[in-house]
Amino acid sequence: MTSYALAVFLALAATSFAQDAANDPNYRGGDSDPLGSVSTSKLQIHVPKTLTKPGGYEHREALFGIPPYGASLTQNVYYTEQDLCDANTIDTRSGYPIRAQDDSGQMLQWPSPYILMVDRGGCTFVQKVRNAQRVGAAGVMIADNTCLCSFQDVCHPDPGHDCEIREPIMADDGSGSDISIPSFLMFKQDADLVKAELMANHVVRMEMQWSLPAPDDRVEYELWTTPTDTISKDFQRDFKEAAVALGDRAYFTPQMYIYDGLRSGCVSLDGENECYNLCTNNGRYCATDPDNDLDRGISGADVVKESLRRMCIWQYYGQEDGVGAEWWDYVNEFMYRCDTEEFFSNNQCIMDAMTHAKIDGAKIDQCMSDSGGLEGDEQNALLEVQLTAKDKSGVVILPAMYVNRVSIRGSLEFPTVFKAICSGYFTGTAPDVCATCDTCPDIKSCISNGYCGSKKLQESVSTMNMVYALAGLSAVFCLLSFIQHRRYERRMQAQVKGIIAEYMPLDQNQMQATTAVSDEDDVEFT
């Protein structure tokens, strides 16, 4: 019965979300952003000029890969008629435009870097992009092969293809974590024009650009996770230093992902909990069982309780400044001390974690109680806030990171998030830590040390600078000494010449007198 209850809860939760998505006109299959949709990318064609469109081309961005936020990718496009579904059969010497031949008579391969255009269909988006990445593509453009019904006036469907009502979503099939290149989907009416140009052996140069809204000199970022989320652990363990370094120039909000038990069918008509130990408050607030075993280990109710605790810690220690150093410390201490089946809900372990993080446990317990507690058929104010925020965000896959209300694609890694935050500032307002570390190969070490590079390198550079400075000063001193010496020599030579010039006439007179005396002496003694 317990396994059945777990299956029922998961099915009801998924059904509830699907119904909400279907009824929400702003829902975009997981690609929606908190409090509304914000475009983060742009697609434009620069060559040929006839295909340049004011404002760029409408497209859809993949929910996998790592876009270079704040940057762009501009390269020549090559089109392949292969489906890229089998990595072993991809021919990089095929496609359009046709290229010159090598010495063996074969057409040259697609010259890197390039953007590869491939038709939709045959396999998942992830598989196509992964195989394109393996053969050297810097970006991928999926050409849609089906018209949207809303574009029937400008799009001409292929024979045997009906139009589709919903826009296609470039979703992750669950295996896209190894993909690092970006990819877009281009609607059929536009993709057909690009393919025609390429198949006519004309050059097409395309730009894929990514940006974040930059309204002012402060960036807001939030992380959606759960206390049992394994993927975000490294990020939560390491990012405190960056949060502190960014200071009041960046406002962080941790969001705890829980389910609405009422909408998921976990509350019976008489107010009883129908989902066993997955929920608190008689089934109102629920979480999935992390070990999928309702009879032992960590329960969903345990996850909800720890989520509420972390919300209270943030309310006391992070909500005011948006940094929350103590919140980061507690999460680290909890992961170090209590993140096991045995100690996850152990009160003594949790108190030790709060003590080491310098958190007042009594205040947090009072906060959890004052918000409505976790017992009985009672609403909890803080958990209700989380449910509302979850509905607005449209979050489906965890963990999820948002910067300035825009979902950050790719794996949740320190450099990716830090670069995204730094690209979210209004031009010229980014803090010094962004200017110093944003382009550093080791961003984490740069933030810790306050400079980019190793200490030894810094000392070496400083020593060499001192040596060069001393050498320069010595050279200048020697040059001045040489000039002064030359001046002194010229002055002495002038003085000597003057003295010699004064005594030369006297010497001549003495010589003449001596000669005259000699002559007289000679006459006298002859």
Side-chain angles (χ1 to χ4, degrees), residues 144-160:
D144 201 354
N145 55 6
T146 305
C147 292
L148 285 175
C149 296
S150 56
F151 290 149
Q152 278 187 308
D153 55 335
V154 293
C155 185
H156 306 290
D158 295 333

Side-chain angles (χ1 to χ4, degrees), residues 325-461:
E326 293 86 354
W327 183 90
W328 294 97
D329 287 338
Y330 169 76
V331 171
N332 274 277
E333 291 292 342
F334 183 91
M335 287 191 291
Y336 174 69
R337 300 172 186 279
C338 312
D339 197 15
T340 63
E341 180 180 312
E342 181 181 359
F343 294 106
F344 188 90
S345 57
N346 183 283
N347 290 330
Q348 184 59 51
C349 183
I350 292 169
M351 287 303 297
D352 286 344
M354 287 196 283
T355 299
H356 282 83
K358 296 180 173 57
I359 287 174
D360 188 337
K363 283 186 178 180
I364 302 307
D365 289 342
Q366 189 64 45
C367 169
M368 296 173 67
S369 176
D370 291 345
S371 63
L374 297 169
E375 302 296 332
D377 188 15
E378 301 291 336
Q379 279 195 350
N380 184 291
L382 290 179
L383 295 178
E384 286 293 329
V385 168
Q386 284 301 106
L387 290 178
T388 301
K390 179 173 73 74
D391 290 341
K392 289 183 177 180
S393 72
V395 173
V396 178
I397 299 175
L398 296 179
M401 174 64 70
Y402 289 87
V403 176
N404 283 354
R405 304 194 304 175
V406 173
S407 177
I408 302 303
R409 310 298 180 209
S411 57
L412 185 65
E413 296 179 350
F414 191 111
T416 303
V417 175
F418 183 77
K419 285 176 177 288
I421 291 172
C422 287
S423 67
Y425 290 98
F426 188 74
T427 304
T429 65
D432 292 340
V433 67
C434 287
T436 303
C437 301
D438 186 27
T439 58
C440 187
D442 190 348
I443 293 178
K444 192 187 303 182
S445 296
C446 177
I447 293 173
S448 299
N449 299 330
Y451 53 79
C452 185
S454 67
K455 185 72 174 176
K456 185 175 181 180
L457 178 61
Q458 291 291 323
E459 291 175 350
S460 174
V461 171

Side-chain angles (χ1 to χ4, degrees), residues 33 152 287 353 474:
D33 300 309
Q152 278 187 308
S474 299

Side-chain angles (χ1 to χ4, degrees), residues 167-469:
E167 293 182 0
I169 300 170
M170 290 188 69
D172 190 341
D173 62 4
S175 67
S177 60
D178 62 327
I179 296 176
S180 59
I181 64 173
S183 54
F184 289 167
L185 181 138
M186 199 173 194
F187 292 121
K188 188 177 186 303
Q189 65 272 15
D190 298 322
D192 285 349
L193 298 177
V194 176
K195 289 193 294 184
E197 197 73 21
L198 292 169
M199 296 178 74
N201 297 317
H202 297 157
V203 172
V204 174
R205 192 163 181 83
M206 184 177 287
E207 179 183 17
M208 304 167 71
Q209 184 181 39
W210 297 264
S211 62
L212 291 174
D216 51 34
D217 62 352
R218 190 182 82 160
V219 168
E220 297 178 0
Y221 65 112
E222 58 184 271
L223 170 66
W224 282 91
T225 184
T226 69
T228 54
D229 175 25
T230 58
I231 299 175
S232 65
K233 283 184 178 180
D234 287 342
F235 174 82
Q236 294 185 76
R237 186 178 294 112
D238 298 335
F239 205 74
K240 176 198 169 183
E241 282 189 294
V244 173
L246 291 165
D248 60 1
R249 302 295 306 283
Y251 190 94
F252 174 63
T253 303
Q255 305 280 18
M256 297 293 111
Y257 193 94
I258 58 174
Y259 287 102
D260 187 337
L262 291 173
R263 292 161 64 181
S264 298
C266 286
V267 180
S268 66
L269 294 178
D270 56 359
E272 294 299 321
N273 182 2
E274 292 286 319
C275 291
Y276 194 45
N277 62 358
L278 295 173
C279 309
T280 65
N281 303 76
N282 277 33
R284 284 179 175 272
Y285 310 108
C286 311
T288 55
D289 190 303
D291 45 30
N292 294 321
D293 189 340
L294 297 180
D295 297 319
R296 56 178 296 274
I298 304 169
S299 68
D302 292 335
V303 176
V304 174
K305 185 175 183 179
E306 179 59 26
S307 297
L308 178 60
R309 181 177 292 110
R310 295 188 184 188
M311 292 167 63
C312 281
I313 292 173
W314 180 257
Q315 182 171 300
Y316 270 97
Y317 294 94
Q319 194 169 39
E320 183 176 350
D321 63 3
V323 176
E326 293 86 354
W327 183 90
W328 294 97
D329 287 338
Y330 169 76
V331 171
N332 274 277
E333 291 292 342
F334 183 91
M335 287 191 291
Y336 174 69
R337 300 172 186 279
C338 312
D339 197 15
T340 63
E341 180 180 312
E342 181 181 359
F343 294 106
F344 188 90
S345 57
N346 183 283
N347 290 330
Q348 184 59 51
C349 183
I350 292 169
M351 287 303 297
D352 286 344
M354 287 196 283
T355 299
H356 282 83
K358 296 180 173 57
I359 287 174
D360 188 337
K363 283 186 178 180
I364 302 307
D365 289 342
Q366 189 64 45
C367 169
M368 296 173 67
S369 176
D370 291 345
S371 63
L374 297 169
E375 302 296 332
D377 188 15
E378 301 291 336
Q379 279 195 350
N380 184 291
L382 290 179
L383 295 178
E384 286 293 329
V385 168
Q386 284 301 106
L387 290 178
T388 301
K390 179 173 73 74
D391 290 341
K392 289 183 177 180
S393 72
V395 173
V396 178
I397 299 175
L398 296 179
M401 174 64 70
Y402 289 87
V403 176
N404 283 354
R405 304 194 304 175
V406 173
S407 177
I408 302 303
R409 310 298 180 209
S411 57
L412 185 65
E413 296 179 350
F414 191 111
T416 303
V417 175
F418 183 77
K419 285 176 177 288
I421 291 172
C422 287
S423 67
Y425 290 98
F426 188 74
T427 304
T429 65
D432 292 340
V433 67
C434 287
T436 303
C437 301
D438 186 27
T439 58
C440 187
D442 190 348
I443 293 178
K444 192 187 303 182
S445 296
C446 177
I447 293 173
S448 299
N449 299 330
Y451 53 79
C452 185
S454 67
K455 185 72 174 176
K456 185 175 181 180
L457 178 61
Q458 291 291 323
E459 291 175 350
S460 174
V461 171
S462 299
T463 302
M464 290 304 296
N465 287 340
M466 182 174 292
V467 170
Y468 290 144

